[in-house]
Amino acid sequence: MKLLPVYFLVFIIFSLFWSCREESKVDISRNLDSSKMASMSTRNISTLISDSGVTQYKIISPLWNIYDEAENPYWSFPEGLYLQKYDKDYNVIATVAADSAKFFKNERLWRLEGEVEMTKFPDELFLSPRVFWDQRQQQLYSDTFIHIENSTHVIEGTGFESDESLSRYRILHPNGIFPVNKDSL
């Protein structure tokens, strides 16, 4: 009879331990949607991208998120992106800077937003709040304001289409400032 209270006490302690242990298990996986979670996040990146063994681009960004499980997989650069394009001799021939960017992998389509600044060396500057770069079609385009300047003129307008080398472009709704030499009048 003296052991009964001891058995009862052990039973109570064991029951409390067992019930606490069961309650501490939480299944968080049922609340997670992997298609909305980055499969990789990297801070302060600087990486080179090559095609057929030739370095084509350098990307620098404070944050790079990859969403491989999304229905339409994409890369996100929510804190900005800086890109350099190289020629075959590794000279920088163009740069792109944007406040944020997304790259849609299946379409090979970039969407650059915020203050987008593109330079083509030696002296052309392109500014726009949004630019799309379709790598499959090798085209750049925008449906927003565009500002283009070089050593001879400034052109502005709304809507823009170009080859990806920025050598042949057109503004859909242009206006511009063209300096006129008094002697040519």
Side-chain angles (χ1 to χ4, degrees):
M1 280 310 229
K2 291 184 181 184
L3 290 178
L4 188 59
V6 172
Y7 287 129
F8 183 71
L9 184 60
V10 168
F11 175 74
I12 295 294
I13 293 172
F14 183 76
S15 297
L16 287 173
F17 174 76
W18 185 260
S19 65
C20 290
R21 204 171 114 200
E22 287 299 311
E23 289 176 20
S24 66
K25 290 183 181 181
V26 177
D27 183 11
I28 61 169
S29 65
R30 69 174 179 231
N31 298 328
L32 299 177
D33 183 357
S34 63
S35 68
K36 294 180 181 174
M37 295 176 53
S39 51
M40 183 190 84
S41 283
T42 305
R43 288 221 166 260
N44 302 319
I45 65 125
S46 177
T47 188
L48 299 173
I49 297 176
S50 61
D51 184 13
S52 304
V54 178
T55 300
Q56 303 267 325
Y57 305 99
K58 180 177 186 178
I59 293 177
I60 300 170
S61 180
L63 178 61
W64 179 15
N65 294 321
I66 296 178
Y67 295 86
D68 279 335
E69 299 297 321
E71 187 174 321
N72 185 9
Y74 65 95
W75 300 349
S76 174
F77 301 87
E79 297 177 11
L81 170 79
Y82 178 74
L83 180 138
Q84 293 178 325
K85 179 163 177 43
Y86 299 106
D87 66 9
K88 63 180 179 13
D89 297 320
Y90 302 109
N91 297 309
V92 176
I93 58 172
T95 64
V96 175
D99 289 340
S100 69
K102 281 189 178 178
F103 173 67
F104 299 94
K105 287 175 58 175
N106 295 344
E107 294 88 0
R108 294 187 56 204
L109 177 69
W110 286 89
R111 183 175 71 207
L112 309 163
E113 293 186 301
E115 291 185 29
V116 180
E117 179 180 298
M118 300 179 293
T119 59
K120 178 185 170 194
F121 289 95
D123 68 347
E124 285 193 280
L125 173 66
F126 298 76
L127 303 171
S128 181
R130 181 174 51 244
V131 173
F132 293 91
W133 174 17
D134 186 334
Q135 289 183 306
R136 283 188 179 153
Q137 301 295 321
Q138 299 178 332
Q139 292 180 332
L140 293 161
Y141 60 91
S142 178
D143 57 355
T144 60
F145 173 78
I146 185 79
H147 171 95
I148 303 171
E149 64 181 73
N150 63 27
S151 60
T152 62
H153 61 272
V154 173
I155 302 173
E156 293 181 339
T158 303
F160 166 77
E161 296 174 345
S162 175
D163 62 342
E164 69 181 5
S165 66
L166 295 170
S167 57
R168 289 185 321 241
Y169 56 83
R170 80 181 177 123
I171 297 176
L172 304 179
H173 303 284
N175 60 55
I177 302 167
F178 297 91
V180 177
N181 185 345
K182 290 191 288 184
D183 298 333
S184 64
L185 293 174

